[in-house]
Amino acid sequence: MLQNLLEFEKPIAELDALIEELKRTAADPDRLAEAKASNIDFEKEIAGIEARREQVMRDVFANLTPWNRVQMARHPQRPYTLDYIRLITENFVELHGDRINADDPAIVGGTARFMGRPVMVIGHQKGRDLKERQMRNFGSARPAGFRKALRLMQMADRFKKPILCFVDTPAAEANLMAEEEGISRAIAWNLEQMFHLRVPVVAAVIGEGGSGGALGIAVGDRVLMLEHAIYSVIPPESCAAILSEFGRDRSRAPEAAAALKITAQHACQFGAADEVLPEPPGGAHRNPAAAASLLQTALHKHLSELETLSPDQLREARYQRYRRLGQWLDPQAMVENASRKAGKTKPETI
Amino acid sequence: MGRGKWFQRGDHNDARKREKMAENLWLKCPRCNEIQFAKDVERNLRTCTRCEYHFRLRALDRVEITVDEGSFEEFDANLYSCNPLDFPGYADKVKRAQEETGLTDAVLCGFARIENFPVVLSVADFEFLGGSMGSVVGEKLVRAMERSLQKRLPLVLFTANGGGARMFEGLLSLMQMAKTSAALARMQENGVPFLVVLTDPTMAGVYASYASLGDVILAEPGALIGFAGRRVGNQDMGMKLPEDFQTSEFQFRCGQVDRIVPRREMRNTLALLLSFFEEEAAANAAKSA
């Protein structure tokens, strides 16, 4: 049984409970005989309810609001980085520490084998229960976390091993200690240094892509989004707290979430991500193994493509991938374009 | 009767106009409360004549006090923000900012000379949507960096980006952090110097990308510099914040800033630093010629 249900998951959960109840009854020989006597076919009943559940699930998930998507991305049952590492890699050896003065449990990383090849895996890690959540700081990394991530990436670079990054953080830690330890510089330095890497980097946003804290380990040659993952420049709550449009009221985060266009589909539209990976019906948490398998297939596909490129080609492509991001109007270029290919005056929106 | 008339003389408009004139004529220092002639403050590079409090500078004023007279040649002035997210109110905000500031967006970029050293210069203007970085700011900065690289000229960059990444352009603004860092990685690889001057205020997505990546990072005294704004962060959870939290002095103390440089010494300091890089720059220029 699922715990921590979201409001819109409840109709599905009710049907889940019903199916489970029927199955339990069917497993009881006495009740089964009883039912047979009164001509009730359990299998048929169960199949009927399962079909209804599929329908309800389709309806619910076809109509998720942007805020529902945020809730899905933050779902407490959602598979986290270590779950995916366990499900899709072998021989994982976690490596710790930033070699300066700390080890940040909000980011995990280490060596592993992925589909036959050695890889470095790195990701944000949230906690499952209260104790672990606190230990992991809810997946909000401190400078030590970003430094550890970079250390592992540079090690992978030295030994020519590809890098897989799993992104799942509400935001980078912003408290006094993080500020004292140089959180801004730590993120900025990662952004810059990731462009120097000579090995393939594939990043997958598996849950929350929380602004700089996410980007700090997500400068990839490819960036993949799980269907119910989000990627945002600012947490919707903070956006609502800042803008007068939302009355500077955190509780109006759902409106901010809609305005910020934070879904996986939007991330692809803007060119920040390359592919949306559909999740199993009802979301990754209803079937982590199936979600992991989808992720594995996609990661393997992209990695295999990138492995055919030389280090220089990789870096050039990575540069160009980010170089073209953004949308603006350039009237002068428009005029020049227009005179070049007469008639076409589409604004330059790259 | 006479007294009443004296009070009534002039309508409200006039009174307001006078008030505004007085406002423009006088300035009150927010730190030492000294009331002083605005003109004296201007003459003092917009710093308090008594306590040296640094008032914010508009981008053009910054250019004027920083570069050799008449040496600034702006480029890429004609890039305009669009509204890729259809964010409510954003288009109006941009339009209003353009009208009020006379700028097209939040940074100016161009070629300039500082004490005869040729540089690429970029200056942010806080008055334009908090100096926030959207697609236009990112693109202009990257073009400036690419010009720096191509001409092997040092890049001197003044921040004033309290707005960080511009949230009205959502993920596209976040991506400008990576995009600018990409261009800086190329400069770094090719040995083209990058000098950053942090001015009030510099926050969030800008501080967590190019503003933290200078070969040298200077800061004006008393500037607000930090990661998450107080309305956003949870900095004070369980911890008493130091009085100078998220200021130049705080960042200096934490090893994030090379020097705190008062405004009147900035030009000179930049020139001294540029002279360190000069040989390199000259050699590079010869190589690329």
Side-chain angles (χ1 to χ4, degrees):
Chain A
M1 260 304 282
L2 290 170
Q3 279 151 16
N4 304 306
L5 286 169
L6 300 174
E7 199 52 43
F8 58 83
E9 286 185 302
K10 281 185 181 156
I12 303 166
E14 276 162 20
L15 292 173
D16 279 344
L18 198 57
I19 291 165
E20 215 168 294
E21 176 66 30
L22 280 174
K23 280 185 177 163
R24 215 174 13 246
T25 312
D28 181 338
D30 292 350
R31 304 280 302 274
L32 193 61
E34 221 175 274
K36 266 201 181 133
S38 48
N39 238 341
I40 296 171
D41 183 346
F42 270 117
E43 276 179 32
K44 213 172 133 197
E45 289 286 321
I46 291 171
I49 299 170
E50 275 174 342
R52 208 161 89 218
R53 180 181 62 184
E54 294 311 307
Q55 188 55 46
V56 168
M57 206 136 71
R58 259 198 302 278
D59 290 349
V60 166
F61 281 88
N63 294 302
L64 291 186
T65 65
W67 184 244
N68 293 155
R69 311 290 292 260
V70 175
Q71 292 173 305
M72 281 295 282
R74 294 174 179 171
H75 201 294
Q77 304 295 117
R78 214 171 155 75
Y80 294 148
T81 293
L82 285 174
D83 299 315
Y84 286 117
I85 290 177
R86 186 168 40 78
L87 288 163
I88 67 179
T89 72
E90 290 160 353
N91 304 347
F92 175 60
V93 180
E94 189 177 349
L95 303 173
H96 293 270
D98 70 349
R99 294 297 185 272
I100 296 174
N101 65 353
D103 179 50
D104 182 1
I107 287 184
V108 297
T111 57
R113 285 191 86 79
F114 176 73
M115 308 286 275
R117 58 170 96 62
V119 293
M120 187 66 79
V121 289
I122 294 163
H124 303 95
Q125 179 64 32
K126 295 178 174 177
R128 204 52 84 182
D129 55 30
L130 184 64
K131 209 171 138 199
E132 196 198 356
R133 272 200 274 274
Q134 282 174 337
M135 188 268 279
R136 305 262 181 212
N137 196 24
F138 309 90
S140 286
R142 295 183 285 132
F146 293 104
R147 288 172 188 142
K148 169 169 69 180
L150 184 61
R151 176 175 79 86
L152 298 181
M153 288 182 209
Q154 289 176 333
M155 190 208 302
D157 189 59
R158 275 199 303 285
F159 298 102
K160 303 186 174 58
K161 309 294 184 236
I163 299 165
L164 300 179
C165 295
F166 300 101
V167 177
D168 189 15
T169 181
E173 177 56 57
N175 65 13
L176 171 61
M177 207 199 289
E179 192 79 63
E180 283 175 333
E181 292 168 353
I183 185 71
S184 300
R185 162 73 177 191
I187 292 172
W189 188 242
N190 276 24
L191 299 183
E192 187 178 56
Q193 293 306 308
M194 287 184 83
F195 282 100
H196 289 312
L197 298 172
R198 298 172 164 276
V199 295
V201 182
V202 181
V205 185
I206 57 172
E208 278 186 280
S211 63
L215 188 61
I217 64 164
V219 176
D221 301 300
R222 302 286 159 80
V223 178
L224 315 178
M225 301 279 304
L226 284 189
E227 181 185 356
H228 297 300
I230 57 170
Y231 205 168
S232 179
V233 66
I234 184 168
E237 288 85 351
S238 304
C239 179
I242 290 172
L243 290 187
S244 56
E245 278 84 347
F246 308 115
R248 305 217 156 105
D249 179 359
R250 294 182 85 81
S251 69
R252 286 175 67 184
E255 292 165 63
L260 286 167
K261 302 216 164 35
I262 56 180
T263 68
Q265 289 75 12
H266 285 120
C268 279
Q269 247 173 53
F270 297 137
D274 303 283
E275 191 182 346
V276 180
L277 310 179
E279 293 184 23
H285 60 287
R286 284 187 67 95
N287 192 345
S293 154
L294 286 163
L295 185 58
Q296 183 178 39
T297 308
L299 288 172
H300 179 62
K301 181 187 84 179
H302 287 285
L303 217 45
S304 305
E305 285 170 19
L306 295 167
E307 279 163 345
T308 64
L309 301 177
S310 74
D312 286 342
Q313 286 173 322
L314 259 182
R315 293 209 305 175
E316 178 62 23
R318 192 181 303 140
Y319 185 83
Q320 296 303 341
R321 183 188 183 284
Y322 285 88
R323 175 68 187 82
R324 62 171 179 265
L325 293 181
Q327 290 184 20
W328 61 88
L329 295 172
D330 185 348
Q332 212 172 313
M334 278 162 65
V335 172
E336 283 161 21
N337 274 339
S339 58
R340 212 174 318 139
K341 26 182 176 165
K344 282 214 163 180
T345 54
K346 206 168 161 270
E348 185 190 12
T349 45
I350 300 171
Chain B
M1 222 23 211
R3 198 170 57 176
K5 248 198 166 154
W6 187 86
F7 267 106
Q8 279 163 18
R9 201 162 45 126
D11 57 17
H12 275 287
N13 273 342
D14 262 351
R16 228 177 284 152
K17 216 189 268 172
R18 251 201 318 274
E19 224 169 77
K20 202 152 191 199
M21 252 165 67
E23 237 173 63
N24 289 339
L25 207 56
W26 296 95
L27 258 178
K28 186 175 164 184
C29 173
R31 190 163 66 192
C32 72
N33 289 331
E34 175 90 347
I35 293 173
Q36 49 207 312
F37 267 125
K39 270 198 177 146
D40 289 343
V41 175
E42 296 296 332
R43 256 196 296 275
N44 207 29
L45 305 177
R46 281 186 69 72
T47 60
C48 173
T49 52
R50 182 165 157 220
C51 75
E52 287 252 313
Y53 170 84
H54 283 49
F55 289 89
R56 284 177 191 154
L57 266 186
R58 299 296 310 278
L60 278 171
D61 295 334
R62 174 76 65 185
V63 171
E64 197 186 313
I65 68 165
T66 306
V67 306
D68 298 353
E69 206 181 330
S71 72
F72 185 63
E73 291 170 49
E74 191 182 355
F75 49 69
D76 299 322
N78 290 316
L79 300 187
Y80 295 85
S81 291
C82 44
N83 190 359
L85 270 59
D86 278 320
F87 202 100
Y90 179 46
D92 289 339
K93 279 191 163 79
V94 170
K95 221 172 129 200
R96 214 175 323 130
Q98 284 167 342
E99 282 164 10
E100 282 171 13
T101 61
L103 304 171
T104 50
D105 216 291
V107 292
L108 295 178
C109 300
F111 295 113
R113 285 175 174 274
I114 296 174
E115 298 280 2
N116 246 343
F117 293 106
V119 298
V120 172
L121 180 75
S122 168
V123 179
D125 197 311
F126 179 70
E127 296 300 312
F128 196 105
L129 294 180
S132 57
M133 168 169 64
S135 300
V136 168
V137 170
E139 177 68 15
K140 281 175 94 163
L141 291 176
V142 167
R143 289 188 190 187
M145 290 161 186
E146 287 177 340
R147 282 187 160 96
S148 247
L149 184 60
Q150 189 202 348
K151 303 212 178 256
R152 305 260 169 187
L153 289 175
L155 174 60
V156 176
L157 180 142
F158 286 83
T159 66
N161 313 77
R166 190 177 292 173
M167 49 191 152
F168 312 111
E169 291 185 29
L171 204 45
L172 286 174
S173 297
L174 187 74
M175 291 301 130
Q176 304 309 308
M177 293 170 66
K179 176 168 154 172
T180 50
S181 302
L184 289 172
R186 288 205 159 174
M187 282 174 65
Q188 189 180 60
E189 201 171 21
N190 289 282
V192 179
F194 176 38
L195 309 183
V196 172
V197 183
L198 303 172
T199 82
D200 187 58
T202 300
M203 300 293 291
V206 168
Y207 189 46
S209 60
Y210 62 89
S212 283
L213 293 171
D215 293 298
V216 177
I217 301 178
L218 308 177
E220 284 198 330
L224 179 71
I225 299 165
F227 183 57
R230 291 200 184 206
R231 250 180 302 172
V232 178
N234 53 344
Q235 297 98 328
D236 46 2
M237 291 231 311
M239 275 175 275
K240 196 175 174 297
L241 294 177
E243 227 162 74
D244 65 352
F245 183 59
Q246 292 185 333
T247 60
S248 308
E249 291 72 16
F250 171 89
Q251 298 297 355
F252 178 77
R253 190 151 57 72
C254 297
Q256 301 302 320
V257 165
D258 287 288
R259 288 184 76 81
I260 295 178
V261 181
R263 197 169 285 166
R264 69 189 136 74
E265 291 171 22
M266 190 60 77
R267 201 178 129 84
N268 198 30
T269 306
L270 285 172
L272 289 174
L273 287 168
L274 287 167
S275 76
F276 171 84
F277 297 110
E278 185 192 33
E279 246 169 79
E280 190 70 25
N284 281 333
K287 228 189 300 171
S288 70

